[in-house]
Amino acid sequence: MGHTHIGFIGNIQFSPSYYERLEGYRLALYQAGIEYNPMWVIDRAIEEMDDVFNSVQKLDKQPTAWFCVNDGFGFLLNSVMYKLGYQIPQDVSIVSFDNGQLSRITTPMTTTMDVDLSYFGRKAIEQLFWRIDHHEEPFVEILLPTNLIIRESTQHPNV
């Protein structure tokens, strides 16, 4: 949507997929020709209101958009931004990941990356059975598709 000041929030120590989401964020910035600003990367946040508030509030300058590692962080960040006096999406856009219930009950509803959990589950079971029969084979990484669902938490930046 034209944002060039984009932050990241999550806890990459919680899950390997969260670290991969940080790498995806960095790759997307690179591919869009947007400078990576480490000051806007909060990668050890605890998924609790106080920690998110303290982490975001201490930034010298706020980004115009945030990518949240999951819908829980998107939900908390939405509340923190309102507490800090920002309007969503007029002042700051928020995008999260998972398309869970929290992305749908937040006001405004959060733009999110949809994950087809039943497909993910089927692929996991297939891999499990394959691994049982092929325990000597090397491990492989399977990348599964996601789909961006644009909702009311995002708009073009007011720059």
Side-chain angles (χ1 to χ4, degrees), residues 81-99:
M81 288 291 120
Y82 276 117
K83 283 186 178 183
L84 293 173
Y86 294 92
Q87 296 289 314
I88 293 139
Q90 296 85 348
D91 301 322
V92 62
S93 289
I94 297 176
V95 176
S96 61
F97 204 104
D98 289 330
N99 191 29

Side-chain angles (χ1 to χ4, degrees), residues 17-37:
S17 67
Y18 290 2
Y19 179 79
E20 291 170 349
R21 292 171 191 182
L22 173 60
E23 290 302 308
Y25 157 85
R26 292 170 70 169
L27 179 61
L29 291 179
Y30 173 78
Q31 290 176 337
I34 298 172
E35 184 177 345
Y36 172 77
N37 184 342

